């Protein structure tokens, strides 16, 4: 990661986007404010929490409360301001911020696994993907929605490509760690953005009987 | 907590109630005795287990087997004695015992997080709530039922109020730790009891488009 | 366990079977290759991961990557070769391999809990069962299928019998640890095999209102 501040800002924006899109996605189900906040928090910090538990290290939000505060306030705002938040262009913005969030979190997750020398090379890829999508899957399960793994939307695939790219490049050129990290985040985000813009589905050869 | 014995007795009664209401809630689904016991155990110890894993401490039932034994026997009795257990007044009793259980477990959970100096002040609130309702949510997910987060019943809200109350008061008056703990348990239980008695739902302003 | 090599081979065959049956079970849902691999991995290593987290020890696949590689390649093959894999006799073979897998993993899980002196005697039984069926339950939840706990198939019951048998016998005759382990695996597998062959359901007295 370039500097702590920069990646911290993206992490916070990603947290906002994760919470807001989480709340908006369950609103049709007539949830109460308490449930909305809990789902917002779980979506925002669930993946990273699972990663840290598997790594056997203290959960990241235990010593950095901003994640929780941001998740709580974003959920509150999304809940009571949903008439604004679900406006088309705000929702689009949130989709792209969510894309920035998963792009950052997948690389952060992979990097943390590498840092702890965990099960290279599949460990970092797996934990990167888990960091990015674990919270969203848990949200879908609790809300009783089809989980994102079972949808044809191009969501998990860009994340996986980003993780593989980062881990492969970093293992060949460890000295370019930072620039590879930034590039992987950008590439992941670009693929996801194109998927949002063009409403892309998973290509046929990747599907059953493809 | 006043004395270990007193809170231990409530914890055991809460465990009984958690297991029994768990088994009764899945009986319409034609489950077998094995599944019933597993769901009983998960409901009773699931929340506290997640709390301990997030705290990074040994799970509480590893060194205190009574929780498991009580959960197993209560599930067995609820399963084979369900014609008695689902009698209206027994079921009501179980509902209130369950209310006592969540009231105790939420404060216990928050207190344990404070003890380990974990992410004050949201950490203790979050882990308190998780301790109380984490097991029940997991049970609903495994059984394929709508999770309690997505219902309008006033269940999670009293728990959250109790957790916030306890954490706020204790941070201002740490020396009255014990009396604040007992009061918070009682207040949580009173709110939940009123909700059971009056069949209260979450108030409108807390609901979507409220 | 007799020798490391022998139990390692069964563990790998079990991993193959877990991943393949996982992928085949979600194919009707039109999943993509990414989702298939993730579900294959979760089914194969999910139960053991939960066991290790509860035990508070490093996850087993962190230092033994074969589990991940085997799960990934088996999922890939099952996904693209599903027209062959779902052929009746191949599928039957997979069912029996899966049976061998759960039989091995339940005893391995119980044995690991005993090794760490965890909550004897219910701890080892519980963690043995969790090791064997935890991954499959998580797969069903993510895929939106009815979890195996809520089905009448004789799947979890043989596993539980095996765990109880092993833990009871080992506590009376600790010196025959190895032979008891092998026997318990075989007995579990035999019960499960009979259940597959005769399409047995859970007996009536074990069911609701039985």
């Amino acid at each position: 990661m370039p500097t702590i501040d920069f990646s911290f800002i993206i992490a916070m924006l990603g947290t906002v986007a994760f919470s807001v899109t989480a709340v908006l996605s369950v609103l049709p189900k007539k949830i109460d404010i308490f449930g909305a906040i809990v789902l917002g928090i779980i979506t925002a910090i669930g993946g990273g929490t699972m990663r840290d538990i598997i790594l056997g290290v203290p959960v990241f939000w235990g010593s950095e409360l901003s994640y929780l505060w941001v998740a709580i306030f974003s959920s509150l705002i999304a809940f009571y301001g949903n008439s604004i938040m679900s406006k088309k262009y705000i929702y689009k913005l949130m989709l792209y911020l969510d894309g920035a969030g998963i792009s950052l979190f997948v690389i952060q997750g992979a990097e943390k696994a590498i840092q702890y020398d965990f099960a290279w090379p599949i460990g970092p890829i797996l934990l990167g993907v888990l960091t990015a999508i674990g919270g969203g899957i848990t949200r879908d399960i609790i809300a009783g929605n089809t989980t994102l793994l079972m949808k044809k939307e191009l969501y998990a695939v860009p994340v996986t490509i980003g993780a593989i790219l980062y881990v492969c490049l970093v293992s060949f050129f460890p000295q370019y760690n930072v620039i590879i990290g930034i590039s992987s985040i950008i590439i992941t985000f670009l693929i996801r953005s194109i998927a949002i813009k063009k409403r892309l589905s998973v290509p046929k050869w990747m599907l059953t009987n493809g």
Side-chain angles (χ1 to χ4, degrees), chain A:
Chain A
M1 301 306 102
T3 68
I4 297 220
D5 291 330
F6 181 62
S7 85
F8 185 74
I9 289 170
I10 304 192
M12 284 303 128
L13 288 177
T15 303
V16 170
F18 272 29
S19 312
V20 169
T21 50
V23 171
L24 296 182
S25 81
V26 293
L27 279 186
K29 293 226 170 184
K30 293 264 172 203
I31 197 171
D32 64 66
I33 177 65
F34 169 80
I37 290 179
V38 170
L39 287 178
I41 293 176
I42 287 173
T43 310
I45 67 171
T49 304
M50 295 180 210
R51 174 203 60 210
D52 291 343
I53 289 171
I54 289 178
L55 282 177
V57 302
V59 294
F60 68 101
W61 47 273
S63 51
E64 178 54 74
L65 277 173
S66 329
Y67 289 96
L68 284 179
W69 285 120
V70 167
I72 290 173
F73 281 107
S74 310
S75 305
L76 260 170
I77 291 169
F79 188 81
Y80 285 115
N82 71 75
S83 52
I84 297 157
M85 283 300 186
S86 49
K87 278 230 170 74
K88 212 180 160 192
Y89 60 93
I90 300 276
Y91 187 69
K92 274 262 156 148
L93 177 68
M94 284 301 141
L95 267 186
Y96 284 103
L97 276 182
D98 178 275
I102 53 172
S103 306
L104 178 85
F105 291 140
V106 65
I107 305 304
Q108 260 191 347
E111 205 243 332
K112 191 162 185 179
I114 291 176
Q115 219 178 88
Y116 284 94
D117 215 4
F118 182 79
W120 190 90
I122 326 186
I125 295 173
L126 212 65
L127 292 192
V129 173
L130 182 67
T131 307
I133 70 172
I137 290 178
T138 312
R139 172 203 63 209
D140 291 339
I141 290 171
I142 294 179
N145 291 328
T146 307
T147 60
L148 53 92
L149 271 193
M150 309 304 287
K151 285 175 184 165
K152 280 192 282 182
E153 204 188 331
L154 215 59
Y155 190 92
V157 172
V159 165
T160 315
I161 293 174
I164 294 174
L165 189 75
Y166 176 71
V167 171
C168 287
L169 287 178
V170 148
S171 63
F172 284 114
F173 313 103
Q175 70 275 31
Y176 297 120
N177 178 25
V178 173
I179 187 78
I180 291 172
I182 301 175
S183 315
S184 305
I185 294 172
I186 293 174
I187 291 171
T188 310
F189 180 60
L190 281 180
I191 304 179
R192 174 64 188 142
S193 297
I194 295 170
I196 296 174
K197 199 165 180 64
K198 309 253 178 191
R199 297 164 188 273
L200 291 184
S201 287
V202 172
K204 269 216 169 142
W205 61 269
M206 284 182 147
L207 278 173
T208 324
N209 311 318

mmCIF file of all heavy atoms in Angstrom, chain A residues 48-87:
data_model
loop_
_atom_site.group_PDB
_atom_site.id
_atom_site.type_symbol
_atom_site.label_atom_id
_atom_site.label_comp_id
_atom_site.label_asym_id
_atom_site.label_seq_id
_atom_site.Cartn_x
_atom_site.Cartn_y
_atom_site.Cartn_z
ATOM 1 N N GLY A 48 -13.182 -9.274 6.754
ATOM 2 C CA GLY A 48 -11.889 -9.070 7.400
ATOM 3 C C GLY A 48 -11.798 -9.782 8.746
ATOM 4 O O GLY A 48 -10.729 -10.245 9.146
ATOM 5 N N THR A 49 -12.956 -9.867 9.426
ATOM 6 C CA THR A 49 -12.984 -10.576 10.702
ATOM 7 C C THR A 49 -12.683 -12.057 10.507
ATOM 8 O O THR A 49 -11.865 -12.637 11.226
ATOM 9 C CB THR A 49 -14.359 -10.389 11.375
ATOM 10 O OG1 THR A 49 -14.622 -8.994 11.515
ATOM 11 C CG2 THR A 49 -14.400 -11.057 12.734
ATOM 12 N N MET A 50 -13.331 -12.671 9.503
ATOM 13 C CA MET A 50 -13.060 -14.094 9.224
ATOM 14 C C MET A 50 -11.595 -14.298 8.854
ATOM 15 O O MET A 50 -10.962 -15.257 9.293
ATOM 16 C CB MET A 50 -13.948 -14.571 8.075
ATOM 17 C CG MET A 50 -15.427 -14.557 8.392
ATOM 18 S SD MET A 50 -16.365 -15.160 6.943
ATOM 19 C CE MET A 50 -17.896 -14.248 7.140
ATOM 20 N N ARG A 51 -11.066 -13.394 8.027
ATOM 21 C CA ARG A 51 -9.646 -13.496 7.639
ATOM 22 C C ARG A 51 -8.751 -13.488 8.871
ATOM 23 O O ARG A 51 -7.879 -14.350 9.031
ATOM 24 C CB ARG A 51 -9.286 -12.312 6.739
ATOM 25 C CG ARG A 51 -7.795 -12.236 6.403
ATOM 26 C CD ARG A 51 -7.413 -10.799 6.030
ATOM 27 N NE ARG A 51 -7.689 -9.879 7.138
ATOM 28 C CZ ARG A 51 -8.008 -8.598 6.996
ATOM 29 N NH1 ARG A 51 -8.113 -8.068 5.795
ATOM 30 N NH2 ARG A 51 -8.242 -7.835 8.067
ATOM 31 N N ASP A 52 -8.988 -12.528 9.777
ATOM 32 C CA ASP A 52 -8.127 -12.424 10.957
ATOM 33 C C ASP A 52 -8.260 -13.641 11.864
ATOM 34 O O ASP A 52 -7.272 -14.093 12.454
ATOM 35 C CB ASP A 52 -8.462 -11.139 11.725
ATOM 36 C CG ASP A 52 -8.036 -9.892 10.952
ATOM 37 O OD1 ASP A 52 -7.221 -10.027 10.018
ATOM 38 O OD2 ASP A 52 -8.521 -8.795 11.270
ATOM 39 N N ILE A 53 -9.482 -14.179 11.989
ATOM 40 C CA ILE A 53 -9.676 -15.357 12.819
ATOM 41 C C ILE A 53 -8.925 -16.545 12.222
ATOM 42 O O ILE A 53 -8.253 -17.292 12.932
ATOM 43 C CB ILE A 53 -11.181 -15.668 12.972
ATOM 44 C CG1 ILE A 53 -11.830 -14.614 13.869
ATOM 45 C CG2 ILE A 53 -11.391 -17.068 13.529
ATOM 46 C CD1 ILE A 53 -13.336 -14.690 13.926
ATOM 47 N N ILE A 54 -8.991 -16.711 10.903
ATOM 48 C CA ILE A 54 -8.271 -17.810 10.260
ATOM 49 C C ILE A 54 -6.757 -17.606 10.377
ATOM 50 O O ILE A 54 -6.012 -18.556 10.607
ATOM 51 C CB ILE A 54 -8.703 -17.945 8.783
ATOM 52 C CG1 ILE A 54 -10.142 -18.483 8.732
ATOM 53 C CG2 ILE A 54 -7.760 -18.867 8.008
ATOM 54 C CD1 ILE A 54 -10.712 -18.624 7.344
ATOM 55 N N LEU A 55 -6.317 -16.369 10.262
ATOM 56 C CA LEU A 55 -4.882 -16.089 10.425
ATOM 57 C C LEU A 55 -4.432 -16.260 11.876
ATOM 58 O O LEU A 55 -3.242 -16.407 12.149
ATOM 59 C CB LEU A 55 -4.566 -14.649 9.991
ATOM 60 C CG LEU A 55 -4.457 -14.357 8.496
ATOM 61 C CD1 LEU A 55 -4.208 -12.874 8.261
ATOM 62 C CD2 LEU A 55 -3.330 -15.178 7.866
ATOM 63 N N GLY A 56 -5.408 -16.226 12.807
ATOM 64 C CA GLY A 56 -5.049 -16.340 14.215
ATOM 65 C C GLY A 56 -4.477 -15.059 14.789
ATOM 66 O O GLY A 56 -3.681 -15.104 15.727
ATOM 67 N N VAL A 57 -4.882 -13.917 14.240
ATOM 68 C CA VAL A 57 -4.411 -12.624 14.761
ATOM 69 C C VAL A 57 -5.615 -11.834 15.286
ATOM 70 O O VAL A 57 -6.750 -12.151 14.950
ATOM 71 C CB VAL A 57 -3.682 -11.815 13.666
ATOM 72 C CG1 VAL A 57 -2.503 -12.610 13.111
ATOM 73 C CG2 VAL A 57 -4.633 -11.424 12.537
ATOM 74 N N PRO A 58 -5.379 -10.813 16.131
ATOM 75 C CA PRO A 58 -6.502 -10.027 16.671
ATOM 76 C C PRO A 58 -7.321 -9.400 15.537
ATOM 77 O O PRO A 58 -6.744 -8.967 14.533
ATOM 78 C CB PRO A 58 -5.810 -8.942 17.505
ATOM 79 C CG PRO A 58 -4.461 -9.482 17.831
ATOM 80 C CD PRO A 58 -4.082 -10.355 16.673
ATOM 81 N N VAL A 59 -8.652 -9.351 15.695
ATOM 82 C CA VAL A 59 -9.483 -8.769 14.634
ATOM 83 C C VAL A 59 -9.127 -7.296 14.450
ATOM 84 O O VAL A 59 -8.901 -6.577 15.418
ATOM 85 C CB VAL A 59 -10.984 -8.931 14.939
ATOM 86 C CG1 VAL A 59 -11.360 -10.399 14.920
ATOM 87 C CG2 VAL A 59 -11.375 -8.301 16.249
ATOM 88 N N PHE A 60 -9.127 -6.867 13.175
ATOM 89 C CA PHE A 60 -8.587 -5.541 12.828
ATOM 90 C C PHE A 60 -9.374 -4.394 13.457
ATOM 91 O O PHE A 60 -8.821 -3.353 13.775
ATOM 92 C CB PHE A 60 -8.541 -5.367 11.302
ATOM 93 C CG PHE A 60 -9.894 -5.290 10.645
ATOM 94 C CD1 PHE A 60 -10.434 -4.069 10.268
ATOM 95 C CD2 PHE A 60 -10.622 -6.432 10.416
ATOM 96 C CE1 PHE A 60 -11.683 -4.000 9.663
ATOM 97 C CE2 PHE A 60 -11.870 -6.373 9.818
ATOM 98 C CZ PHE A 60 -12.402 -5.157 9.442
ATOM 99 N N TRP A 61 -10.678 -4.567 13.657
ATOM 100 C CA TRP A 61 -11.473 -3.453 14.166
ATOM 101 C C TRP A 61 -11.392 -3.347 15.688
ATOM 102 O O TRP A 61 -11.899 -2.383 16.272
ATOM 103 C CB TRP A 61 -12.930 -3.571 13.703
ATOM 104 C CG TRP A 61 -13.531 -4.935 13.883
ATOM 105 C CD1 TRP A 61 -13.470 -5.973 13.010
ATOM 106 C CD2 TRP A 61 -14.282 -5.399 15.009
ATOM 107 N NE1 TRP A 61 -14.132 -7.063 13.505
ATOM 108 C CE2 TRP A 61 -14.640 -6.733 14.729
ATOM 109 C CE3 TRP A 61 -14.688 -4.826 16.207
ATOM 110 C CZ2 TRP A 61 -15.385 -7.507 15.628
ATOM 111 C CZ3 TRP A 61 -15.426 -5.603 17.098
ATOM 112 C CH2 TRP A 61 -15.761 -6.925 16.793
ATOM 113 N N GLY A 62 -10.728 -4.303 16.339
ATOM 114 C CA GLY A 62 -10.575 -4.238 17.791
ATOM 115 C C GLY A 62 -9.700 -3.055 18.191
ATOM 116 O O GLY A 62 -9.877 -2.458 19.261
ATOM 117 N N SER A 63 -8.747 -2.712 17.348
ATOM 118 C CA SER A 63 -7.837 -1.616 17.683
ATOM 119 C C SER A 63 -8.047 -0.398 16.774
ATOM 120 O O SER A 63 -7.336 0.589 16.884
ATOM 121 C CB SER A 63 -6.387 -2.101 17.569
ATOM 122 O OG SER A 63 -6.200 -2.718 16.318
ATOM 123 N N GLU A 64 -8.996 -0.486 15.868
ATOM 124 C CA GLU A 64 -9.252 0.646 14.970
ATOM 125 C C GLU A 64 -10.764 0.811 14.858
ATOM 126 O O GLU A 64 -11.407 0.250 13.960
ATOM 127 C CB GLU A 64 -8.632 0.374 13.598
ATOM 128 C CG GLU A 64 -8.871 1.447 12.559
ATOM 129 C CD GLU A 64 -8.448 2.820 13.015
ATOM 130 O OE1 GLU A 64 -7.243 3.076 13.070
ATOM 131 O OE2 GLU A 64 -9.339 3.634 13.372
ATOM 132 N N LEU A 65 -11.330 1.565 15.807
ATOM 133 C CA LEU A 65 -12.783 1.624 15.916
ATOM 134 C C LEU A 65 -13.465 2.384 14.777
ATOM 135 O O LEU A 65 -14.676 2.275 14.601
ATOM 136 C CB LEU A 65 -13.173 2.251 17.259
ATOM 137 C CG LEU A 65 -13.170 1.262 18.419
ATOM 138 C CD1 LEU A 65 -13.386 1.979 19.730
ATOM 139 C CD2 LEU A 65 -14.274 0.234 18.205
ATOM 140 N N SER A 66 -12.697 3.130 13.995
ATOM 141 C CA SER A 66 -13.312 3.914 12.908
ATOM 142 C C SER A 66 -14.198 3.042 12.029
ATOM 143 O O SER A 66 -15.255 3.488 11.573
ATOM 144 C CB SER A 66 -12.237 4.551 12.038
ATOM 145 O OG SER A 66 -11.094 4.848 12.768
ATOM 146 N N TYR A 67 -13.758 1.813 11.772
ATOM 147 C CA TYR A 67 -14.558 0.936 10.910
ATOM 148 C C TYR A 67 -15.976 0.771 11.461
ATOM 149 O O TYR A 67 -16.953 0.859 10.725
ATOM 150 C CB TYR A 67 -13.896 -0.443 10.783
ATOM 151 C CG TYR A 67 -12.634 -0.421 9.966
ATOM 152 C CD1 TYR A 67 -11.391 -0.331 10.566
ATOM 153 C CD2 TYR A 67 -12.690 -0.487 8.579
ATOM 154 C CE1 TYR A 67 -10.223 -0.309 9.805
ATOM 155 C CE2 TYR A 67 -11.536 -0.465 7.806
ATOM 156 C CZ TYR A 67 -10.306 -0.371 8.431
ATOM 157 O OH TYR A 67 -9.170 -0.339 7.680
ATOM 158 N N LEU A 68 -16.070 0.540 12.779
ATOM 159 C CA LEU A 68 -17.385 0.338 13.385
ATOM 160 C C LEU A 68 -18.218 1.616 13.351
ATOM 161 O O LEU A 68 -19.385 1.606 12.969
ATOM 162 C CB LEU A 68 -17.239 -0.146 14.827
ATOM 163 C CG LEU A 68 -16.844 -1.602 15.020
ATOM 164 C CD1 LEU A 68 -16.729 -1.913 16.502
ATOM 165 C CD2 LEU A 68 -17.862 -2.514 14.375
ATOM 166 N N TRP A 69 -17.601 2.725 13.750
ATOM 167 C CA TRP A 69 -18.347 3.987 13.758
ATOM 168 C C TRP A 69 -18.858 4.323 12.365
ATOM 169 O O TRP A 69 -20.020 4.701 12.178
ATOM 170 C CB TRP A 69 -17.466 5.135 14.275
ATOM 171 C CG TRP A 69 -17.231 5.138 15.755
ATOM 172 C CD1 TRP A 69 -16.013 5.046 16.387
ATOM 173 C CD2 TRP A 69 -18.205 5.236 16.805
ATOM 174 N NE1 TRP A 69 -16.182 5.076 17.747
ATOM 175 C CE2 TRP A 69 -17.517 5.188 18.039
ATOM 176 C CE3 TRP A 69 -19.595 5.334 16.819
ATOM 177 C CZ2 TRP A 69 -18.164 5.252 19.263
ATOM 178 C CZ3 TRP A 69 -20.250 5.399 18.048
ATOM 179 C CH2 TRP A 69 -19.539 5.356 19.248
ATOM 180 N N VAL A 70 -17.962 4.209 11.395
ATOM 181 C CA VAL A 70 -18.350 4.540 10.020
ATOM 182 C C VAL A 70 -19.470 3.612 9.542
ATOM 183 O O VAL A 70 -20.448 4.059 8.931
ATOM 184 C CB VAL A 70 -17.116 4.451 9.089
ATOM 185 C CG1 VAL A 70 -17.535 4.463 7.624
ATOM 186 C CG2 VAL A 70 -16.176 5.608 9.370
ATOM 187 N N ALA A 71 -19.350 2.322 9.857
ATOM 188 C CA ALA A 71 -20.386 1.374 9.435
ATOM 189 C C ALA A 71 -21.719 1.726 10.083
ATOM 190 O O ALA A 71 -22.779 1.688 9.435
ATOM 191 C CB ALA A 71 -19.972 -0.052 9.799
ATOM 192 N N ILE A 72 -21.702 2.072 11.385
ATOM 193 C CA ILE A 72 -22.942 2.381 12.095
ATOM 194 C C ILE A 72 -23.587 3.644 11.523
ATOM 195 O O ILE A 72 -24.781 3.654 11.190
ATOM 196 C CB ILE A 72 -22.660 2.553 13.601
ATOM 197 C CG1 ILE A 72 -22.309 1.200 14.229
ATOM 198 C CG2 ILE A 72 -23.887 3.165 14.308
ATOM 199 C CD1 ILE A 72 -21.850 1.276 15.671
ATOM 200 N N PHE A 73 -22.807 4.701 11.348
ATOM 201 C CA PHE A 73 -23.405 5.949 10.858
ATOM 202 C C PHE A 73 -23.865 5.815 9.405
ATOM 203 O O PHE A 73 -24.924 6.332 9.038
ATOM 204 C CB PHE A 73 -22.428 7.117 11.046
ATOM 205 C CG PHE A 73 -22.417 7.602 12.458
ATOM 206 C CD1 PHE A 73 -21.352 7.337 13.307
ATOM 207 C CD2 PHE A 73 -23.529 8.284 12.973
ATOM 208 C CE1 PHE A 73 -21.363 7.751 14.642
ATOM 209 C CE2 PHE A 73 -23.542 8.704 14.300
ATOM 210 C CZ PHE A 73 -22.463 8.435 15.135
ATOM 211 N N SER A 74 -23.099 5.109 8.597
ATOM 212 C CA SER A 74 -23.522 4.926 7.203
ATOM 213 C C SER A 74 -24.836 4.149 7.139
ATOM 214 O O SER A 74 -25.718 4.472 6.338
ATOM 215 C CB SER A 74 -22.462 4.162 6.418
ATOM 216 O OG SER A 74 -21.205 4.725 6.607
ATOM 217 N N SER A 75 -24.964 3.123 7.997
ATOM 218 C CA SER A 75 -26.193 2.327 7.995
ATOM 219 C C SER A 75 -27.377 3.191 8.424
ATOM 220 O O SER A 75 -28.462 3.117 7.828
ATOM 221 C CB SER A 75 -26.062 1.143 8.955
ATOM 222 O OG SER A 75 -24.932 0.382 8.638
ATOM 223 N N LEU A 76 -27.163 3.989 9.467
ATOM 224 C CA LEU A 76 -28.213 4.893 9.949
ATOM 225 C C LEU A 76 -28.693 5.829 8.838
ATOM 226 O O LEU A 76 -29.898 5.974 8.589
ATOM 227 C CB LEU A 76 -27.668 5.745 11.100
ATOM 228 C CG LEU A 76 -28.020 5.309 12.514
ATOM 229 C CD1 LEU A 76 -27.206 6.105 13.521
ATOM 230 C CD2 LEU A 76 -29.516 5.492 12.767
ATOM 231 N N ILE A 77 -27.714 6.442 8.177
ATOM 232 C CA ILE A 77 -28.051 7.396 7.119
ATOM 233 C C ILE A 77 -28.761 6.693 5.964
ATOM 234 O O ILE A 77 -29.765 7.175 5.437
ATOM 235 C CB ILE A 77 -26.765 8.108 6.630
ATOM 236 C CG1 ILE A 77 -26.251 9.025 7.739
ATOM 237 C CG2 ILE A 77 -27.033 8.901 5.355
ATOM 238 C CD1 ILE A 77 -24.875 9.584 7.491
ATOM 239 N N ALA A 78 -28.241 5.507 5.593
ATOM 240 C CA ALA A 78 -28.869 4.775 4.491
ATOM 241 C C ALA A 78 -30.298 4.385 4.850
ATOM 242 O O ALA A 78 -31.197 4.396 4.012
ATOM 243 C CB ALA A 78 -28.054 3.527 4.163
ATOM 244 N N PHE A 79 -30.514 4.055 6.131
ATOM 245 C CA PHE A 79 -31.837 3.595 6.559
ATOM 246 C C PHE A 79 -32.851 4.730 6.518
ATOM 247 O O PHE A 79 -33.905 4.608 5.896
ATOM 248 C CB PHE A 79 -31.743 3.030 7.976
ATOM 249 C CG PHE A 79 -33.002 2.357 8.426
ATOM 250 C CD1 PHE A 79 -33.275 1.060 8.049
ATOM 251 C CD2 PHE A 79 -33.920 3.028 9.231
ATOM 252 C CE1 PHE A 79 -34.443 0.436 8.457
ATOM 253 C CE2 PHE A 79 -35.082 2.412 9.641
ATOM 254 C CZ PHE A 79 -35.346 1.114 9.260
ATOM 255 N N TYR A 80 -32.511 5.842 7.196
ATOM 256 C CA TYR A 80 -33.491 6.934 7.274
ATOM 257 C C TYR A 80 -33.476 7.804 6.031
ATOM 258 O O TYR A 80 -34.446 8.503 5.741
ATOM 259 C CB TYR A 80 -33.270 7.755 8.540
ATOM 260 C CG TYR A 80 -33.754 7.030 9.766
ATOM 261 C CD1 TYR A 80 -32.881 6.613 10.767
ATOM 262 C CD2 TYR A 80 -35.114 6.708 9.903
ATOM 263 C CE1 TYR A 80 -33.334 5.918 11.868
ATOM 264 C CE2 TYR A 80 -35.573 6.015 11.007
ATOM 265 C CZ TYR A 80 -34.684 5.627 11.981
ATOM 266 O OH TYR A 80 -35.145 4.927 13.073
ATOM 267 N N GLY A 81 -32.359 7.766 5.294
ATOM 268 C CA GLY A 81 -32.305 8.585 4.092
ATOM 269 C C GLY A 81 -32.465 7.762 2.830
ATOM 270 O O GLY A 81 -31.984 8.149 1.782
ATOM 271 N N ASN A 82 -33.142 6.611 2.961
ATOM 272 C CA ASN A 82 -33.150 5.693 1.815
ATOM 273 C C ASN A 82 -33.854 6.265 0.595
ATOM 274 O O ASN A 82 -33.587 5.868 -0.532
ATOM 275 C CB ASN A 82 -33.736 4.337 2.188
ATOM 276 C CG ASN A 82 -35.226 4.394 2.415
ATOM 277 O OD1 ASN A 82 -35.999 4.481 1.470
ATOM 278 N ND2 ASN A 82 -35.644 4.347 3.673
ATOM 279 N N SER A 83 -34.774 7.234 0.820
ATOM 280 C CA SER A 83 -35.445 7.819 -0.346
ATOM 281 C C SER A 83 -34.435 8.583 -1.202
ATOM 282 O O SER A 83 -34.525 8.616 -2.418
ATOM 283 C CB SER A 83 -36.584 8.733 0.094
ATOM 284 O OG SER A 83 -36.101 9.654 1.034
ATOM 285 N N ILE A 84 -33.420 9.162 -0.540
ATOM 286 C CA ILE A 84 -32.350 9.830 -1.292
ATOM 287 C C ILE A 84 -31.342 8.805 -1.801
ATOM 288 O O ILE A 84 -30.944 8.810 -2.954
ATOM 289 C CB ILE A 84 -31.616 10.866 -0.399
ATOM 290 C CG1 ILE A 84 -32.582 11.958 0.027
ATOM 291 C CG2 ILE A 84 -30.423 11.466 -1.134
ATOM 292 C CD1 ILE A 84 -32.163 12.673 1.287
ATOM 293 N N MET A 85 -30.958 7.895 -0.864
ATOM 294 C CA MET A 85 -29.899 6.944 -1.177
ATOM 295 C C MET A 85 -30.260 6.032 -2.349
ATOM 296 O O MET A 85 -29.393 5.589 -3.089
ATOM 297 C CB MET A 85 -29.609 6.060 0.036
ATOM 298 C CG MET A 85 -28.787 6.737 1.099
ATOM 299 S SD MET A 85 -27.183 7.248 0.439
ATOM 300 C CE MET A 85 -26.396 7.823 1.940
ATOM 301 N N SER A 86 -31.547 5.725 -2.461
ATOM 302 C CA SER A 86 -31.915 4.808 -3.531
ATOM 303 C C SER A 86 -32.186 5.556 -4.838
ATOM 304 O O SER A 86 -32.537 4.945 -5.833
ATOM 305 C CB SER A 86 -33.112 3.945 -3.113
ATOM 306 O OG SER A 86 -34.126 4.746 -2.578
ATOM 307 N N LYS A 87 -32.029 6.877 -4.819
ATOM 308 C CA LYS A 87 -32.059 7.631 -6.084
ATOM 309 C C LYS A 87 -31.010 7.035 -7.008
ATOM 310 O O LYS A 87 -29.921 6.668 -6.590
ATOM 311 C CB LYS A 87 -31.719 9.111 -5.823
ATOM 312 C CG LYS A 87 -32.887 9.912 -5.333
ATOM 313 C CD LYS A 87 -33.054 11.212 -6.150
ATOM 314 C CE LYS A 87 -34.364 11.889 -5.823
ATOM 315 N NZ LYS A 87 -34.296 12.539 -4.489
#
